[in-house]
Amino acid sequence: MVKLTIDNKTIEVPEGTTVLDAARMLNIEIPTLCHHPKLTPFGGCRLCIVEVKGVPRPLTSCTTPVSEGMEITTSTPALEDLRRTVLELILSDHPNDCMICEKAGDCTLQELAYFYGIRENRFGGERRIYAKKDGNPFIERDMEKCILCGRCVKVCDEIQGVEAIDFTYRGFKSKICPTFERDLDCEFCGQCVAVCPTGALTGKTWNLRGRQKDIKEIDTTCSYCGTGCNLTLHVRGNEIIRVTSKEDKWNEGWLCVKGRFGYTFVNSPDRLKKPMIRIAPKLSADSYQLTANLFKEVSWDEALDYVASKLKEIKGKHGPDSIAGLSSAKCTNEENYLFQKFMRTGIGTNNVDHCARL
Amino acid sequence: MKATNTTIRVCMGTGGIAAGGVEVLDAFRKELELAGIKADVKKNCSMHKVGCRGLCAKDVLVDVIIGDKKTTYQFIKSDMVPRIVKEHVVEKNPVREWMVGEDYLAFHEKQFKVVLSDCGSIDPEDISAYIGVKGYEAAKKVMTSMKPGDVIETIKASGLRGRGGAGFPTGAKWEIAGKQDSKQKYLICNADEGDPGAFMDRSVIEGNPHAVIEGMIIGAYAIGADKGYVYIRAEYPLAVERLRKALSDARENGFLGKEILGTKFNFDIKVKLGAGAFVCGEETALIASIEGQRGMPRAKPPFPVYNGLWGKPTVINNVETLANIPYIIRNGDRWFASFGTEKSRGTKVFALTGKIKNSGLIEVPMGISLKEIVYEIGGGIEGDRALKAVQTGGPSGGCIPAAMVDMSVDYESLIKAGSFVGSGGMVVLDETDCMVNIAKFFLEFTQAESCGKCVPCRIGTKRLLEILTRITKGAGKEGDLELLEKLSKDVKAASLCGLGQGAPNPILSTIKYFRHEYEAHLEGRCPSAVCKELLTYYVLEQFCKGCGACLRACPAGAITGEKKKPHFIDSGICIKCGACFDVCKFKAVKKE
Ligand SMILES: Cc1cc2nc3c(=O)[nH]c(=O)nc-3n(C[C@H](O)[C@H](O)[C@H](O)COP(=O)(O)O)c2cc1C
Ligand code: SF4
Ligand code: SF4
Ligand code: SF4
Ligand code: FES
């Protein structure tokens, strides 16, 4: 254990803890932009600087490991002045269109600008303008709003293991890009969207669907697969307009493309809501006569009776092994258990499998 | 016919080769053969390539050594070789008019060569030449008779400090690395050398690569590393080629590899080519680059000696630092510590450029005065104009004004003066240089080379450059000077690595010593008549002969005037290209 003092408060923390984490344990607030607790430290935004006694220049608390007897000050006029300069510099190269930004109200940069009361900017000048938009189907990448905190690059590498994006170019022209600035073509898990502190990365389906304040957040479990990630549905009126995931649950906020972006079916007019039975006459083993109404809507009882009678008929004619069952990863363990039980004891066959094996 | 004891040395550094060194060498081969001096060539008349000897402006330089008499020729082209062979080698009458003059001798007189002592006299591509000047004796001595701790003590006692920029004591760095309890350690030689105008490290590797390799062997032995890297920029093809040859020769001769010289010590070196990003000279970016990552620095602590390449303890030393090591071991720490100042021991190689008569590579004892460098070694200012300042330390350095030319050149004094030894760039500026423009030049470089990782450097240097640009264009605003100073200080304080921390130095030092030039620009004048937008061109009637040369030269049609009568420049039309100024034979066009 290492003992140190932060703003005159003493704390003992395990070796290897960063000064930032130690400060947070003491409920001391230090502004950060590039830091993310699940990712390796970056040290790029320079907002988390602190003064360390005996060290001539400020150090970034997110990258500095604690050492015995350290004396840290997290806020002085000089530090706040540097933080303000850094924020003004970021904002001098930012579209500042919070008015129409998806992220407004939930944006770390906006919040910091608010707390530091930045209205005027001493450093006007050239701003990055990118005309070409990324044509991928899921993720809106507005690189003019990117502050190059590197979180997306790190999450894609360290958490997802995909390395679809990285820093390109140098200096003021630095930009986060997929290879050769092509359109993003990756897993579209959207972890990058989840960790982006600004409006640079958002979901394409989120666009102009509603502000955070109008939203009811409903926690649920993802039904796409048996993994069971926690989802938070952002619901406006009776419509899901975005999906996020809470970081303090077992899946740590990470999702896959289906969980994060595959929610639009819920309100789709094509969605089946009632059972239907095919009524078109059969022409051969695998074709039907095309009629105006291929299906007829029925009640659950009727549908189940129909299935049961057909299964019985087939079993009677061809034996139980002529029937096979394939269950879904969208079902729970219990449902899958019941399904194989049904196949084995109800139908009497071992022909049972599961889509997750495919 | 036999030439007794004749050696011909042709300068074949990058400068020498560019000036035609290969052709000159071939011409000597051919002429000597024609003159029948072929017999016993090896014994009596050897001829070889040597690396840089400093005064590149006078290339191709050729030494003709007969017995113990050495004659040096300058500006030699291949068609001049027959005469040298005939008159000098055969008839023993040196060709006086082609010999180097006093300036060449003065250039060398005040220098003191340690690192460069064998550069320019031995064949860098021949390991036996290096061995012939006691090469690898230091490595042998260390491996067979010294403990790693003794080596570290010797280097500590010598007072050697890192030549790569910051001047960190080399012995102390090695000591920390030596103490790390790790099975795997690395030693990296930093040959990235990205400062504009710097070519010290390149010349050392081109001129004497074995000294660097020997230094690395000794360092690796001292800290307990068995793998080494030389990180060298790919834009240095000759240095890379010579280094690779030297490494394979050293391996063949048993100085690298397993159980070196029959001891239990294993060490080998890999060459890693850098793609030419200035920031990759910064040690943590360099490590990232070797690891295959984008060359971006990371915050220190932890320092690489604790946690470096692949997370292992790693010492990174500059080329010149390492090339000093064999000489220190051979001649002793006391010998090395006997020159230089108390806190800056030894010598330092500088790349002397700018408005100086003798530009080139120099090695001087630390503590020499700036004046001696400029006026004695450098031979004074081009065209005997007045010295304005000396810029040292490259893009992280600063400008020392002419009034301080008596100051001592060493780590402490330069920092005190607001500059920096850096890797050793030294640009001499005269009265025709605009200091605001100089600051802008360096900011253009750092701004473009910033890795983009941290905000103060990525956006801050851009904003600094924008402010400087508008000042030099006469579009400066009230408060710009104060804003420039404030932002410079903030970028310096808040940036992650040395690039951003040092980038504002050229601004801060020029504001400190040349504030009046900034103020003049804000009032719409460039006192050195450099900044185009602030210039007006006009004709001095009393000198104008009405020849019409300017009128014909002006691409904008801004000049009017009748033959034999004074001409006139319409400043509203003038595009300030300077064509009239250049073309007027009577100095009648003035710019202000
Ligand atoms: C932007 C930047 C560029 C650097 N470039 C070089 C370089 O080209 N060569 C070098 O030896 N050191 C360079 N350095 C210094 C290195 O980080 C490091 O301090 C040095 O290689 C250590 O060697 P030394 O102790 O022998 O001086 C650079 C530092 C910075 C911040
Ligand atoms: S969606 Fe996932 S895989 Fe694609 S860039 Fe973002 S983090 Fe990487
Ligand atoms: S896109 Fe977002 S997460 Fe990625 S670097 Fe830019 S601001 Fe950071
Ligand atoms: S100071 Fe500049 S070069 Fe260094 S890390 Fe920051 S952006 Fe990169
Ligand atoms: S949070 Fe530490 S530098 Fe960004």
Side-chain angles (χ1 to χ4, degrees), chain A residues 46, chain B residues 279 282 296-298 449-458 495-501:
Chain A
R46 320 302 292 165
Chain B
V279 73
E282 196 284 337
M296 287 205 293
R298 63 155 175 78
E449 290 295 330
S450 156
C451 82
K453 178 169 181 171
C454 74
V455 175
C457 174
R458 181 182 74 241
S495 287
L496 191 161
C497 85
L499 194 154
Q501 289 161 12

Side-chain angles (χ1 to χ4, degrees), chain A residues 46 81 85 126 169-171, chain B residues 294 449-450 462 486 490 494:
Chain A
R46 320 302 292 165
D81 194 40
T85 296
E126 188 188 329
Y169 308 114
R170 265 180 246 165
Chain B
R294 175 179 160 101
E449 290 295 330
S450 156
K462 171 82 179 168
K486 166 76 176 127
D490 287 356

Side-chain angles (χ1 to χ4, degrees), chain B residues 161-346:
Chain B
R161 291 169 65 175
R163 300 301 193 233
F168 191 84
T170 307
K173 200 190 266 187
W174 288 12
E175 188 170 38
I176 304 171
K179 279 190 189 143
Q180 300 308 305
D181 183 21
S182 168
K183 276 200 189 124
Q184 182 67 61
K185 295 179 194 175
Y186 296 99
L187 177 81
I188 299 174
C189 169
N190 187 345
D192 190 55
E193 198 170 51
D195 303 31
F199 52 94
M200 296 77 53
D201 296 346
R202 186 189 70 194
S203 301
V204 172
I205 294 183
E206 285 176 3
N208 194 2
H210 287 288
V212 182
I213 297 172
E214 189 177 6
M216 287 183 76
I217 297 172
I218 296 168
Y221 176 80
I223 64 166
D226 67 355
K227 284 201 183 79
Y229 285 87
V230 180
Y231 187 88
I232 181 166
R233 53 180 44 223
E235 289 103 319
Y236 284 178
L238 182 65
V240 172
E241 185 191 316
R242 288 190 178 158
L243 178 67
R244 287 202 163 126
K245 165 109 177 44
L247 285 171
S248 84
D249 290 349
R251 231 169 262 137
E252 244 165 55
N253 282 263
F255 297 120
L256 287 175
K258 290 237 168 338
E259 299 181 354
I260 298 174
L261 303 176
T263 63
K264 291 224 149 42
F265 178 58
N266 307 324
F267 180 62
D268 211 336
I269 299 173
K270 273 192 188 159
V271 177
K272 183 87 193 172
L273 298 188
F278 173 56
V279 73
C280 285
E282 196 284 337
E283 49 193 10
T284 57
L286 188 154
I287 287 173
S289 175
I290 293 183
E291 289 176 349
Q293 311 283 335
R294 175 179 160 101
M296 287 205 293
R298 63 155 175 78
K300 298 180 279 191
F303 288 89
V305 267
Y306 300 98
N307 184 338
L309 185 61
W310 315 114
K312 303 290 181 217
T314 303
V315 162
I316 299 180
N317 278 131
N318 166 260
V319 171
E320 191 186 329
T321 313
L322 289 164
N324 267 302
I325 303 290
Y327 298 94
I328 295 175
I329 298 288
R330 258 188 265 151
N331 301 318
D333 49 42
R334 293 227 186 109
W335 165 82
F336 187 81
S338 70
F339 26 87
T341 65
E342 200 198 320
K343 287 193 171 159
S344 305
R345 302 285 187 195

Side-chain angles (χ1 to χ4, degrees), chain B residues 496-551:
Chain B
L496 191 161
C497 85
L499 194 154
Q501 289 161 12
N505 285 348
I507 302 179
L508 288 170
S509 79
T510 48
I511 293 186
K512 181 169 172 193
Y513 297 117
F514 299 94
R515 197 179 185 97
H516 54 278
E517 291 202 17
Y518 282 86
E519 284 162 353
H521 281 77
L522 287 171
E523 287 158 14
R525 278 181 304 115
C526 172
S528 320
V530 171
C531 298
K532 208 168 124 184
E533 276 85 351
L534 299 179
L535 293 183
T536 354
Y537 285 85
Y538 59 92
V539 175
L540 291 167
E541 295 196 359
Q542 63 271 37
F543 295 125
C544 179
K545 302 261 187 274
C547 72
C550 58
L551 189 149

Side-chain angles (χ1 to χ4, degrees), chain B residues 332-578:
Chain B
D333 49 42
R334 293 227 186 109
W335 165 82
F336 187 81
S338 70
F339 26 87
T341 65
E342 200 198 320
K343 287 193 171 159
S344 305
R345 302 285 187 195
T347 60
K348 175 79 192 97
V349 181
F350 287 99
L352 187 62
T353 54
K355 306 284 172 60
I356 191 100
K357 282 184 185 156
N358 302 330
S359 63
L361 203 66
I362 61 167
E363 182 171 355
V364 289
M366 291 277 195
I368 190 173
S369 75
L370 201 51
K371 195 174 183 173
E372 285 169 284
I373 295 181
V374 173
Y375 289 101
E376 297 184 28
I377 298 174
I381 311 298
E382 256 178 14
D384 292 318
R385 286 188 294 264
L387 173 73
K388 187 186 261 184
V390 180
Q391 205 280 349
T392 72
S396 321
C399 292
I400 295 156
M404 289 169 70
V405 76
D406 286 319
M407 72 176 282
S408 148
V409 174
D410 60 76
Y411 289 109
E412 282 69 34
S413 309
L414 282 172
I415 288 187
K416 225 176 103 202
S419 188
F420 194 47
V421 171
S423 52
M426 204 174 252
V427 187
V428 177
L429 306 169
D430 72 6
E431 53 194 349
T432 64
D433 287 304
C434 164
M435 300 312 280
V436 186
N437 197 48
I438 292 289
K440 187 177 131 223
F441 167 81
F442 282 108
L443 259 292
E444 269 163 10
F445 178 82
T446 35
Q447 193 274 133
E449 290 295 330
S450 156
C451 82
K453 178 169 181 171
C454 74
V455 175
C457 174
R458 181 182 74 241
I459 310 178
T461 57
K462 171 82 179 168
R463 298 293 173 246
L464 288 171
L465 178 61
E466 284 171 346
I467 301 171
L468 284 170
T469 306
R470 66 174 181 251
I471 293 180
T472 57
K473 286 198 167 153
K477 296 185 243 174
E478 202 190 314
D480 266 358
L481 193 47
E482 292 69 28
L483 186 62
L484 200 57
E485 258 182 310
K486 166 76 176 127
L487 183 55
S488 291
K489 282 180 187 149
D490 287 356
V491 170
K492 200 173 156 76
S495 287
L496 191 161
C497 85
L499 194 154
Q501 289 161 12
N505 285 348
I507 302 179
L508 288 170
S509 79
T510 48
I511 293 186
K512 181 169 172 193
Y513 297 117
F514 299 94
R515 197 179 185 97
H516 54 278
E517 291 202 17
Y518 282 86
E519 284 162 353
H521 281 77
L522 287 171
E523 287 158 14
R525 278 181 304 115
C526 172
S528 320
V530 171
C531 298
K532 208 168 124 184
E533 276 85 351
L534 299 179
L535 293 183
T536 354
Y537 285 85
Y538 59 92
V539 175
L540 291 167
E541 295 196 359
Q542 63 271 37
F543 295 125
C544 179
K545 302 261 187 274
C547 72
C550 58
L551 189 149
R552 286 188 295 277
C554 177
I559 306 179
T560 49
E562 283 174 38
K563 267 217 148 93
K564 308 223 164 129
K565 293 216 174 115
H567 282 44
F568 169 78
I569 303 176
D570 185 337
S571 60
I573 306 176
C574 170
I575 55 165
K576 296 166 187 175
C577 68

Side-chain angles (χ1 to χ4, degrees), chain A residues 143 145-152 176 192 195-198 200-201:
Chain A
M143 290 298 108
K145 290 182 186 162
C146 169
I147 57 163
L148 286 121
C149 69
R151 285 191 194 187
C152 55
I176 311 285
C192 51
V195 296
C196 182
T198 71
L201 299 179

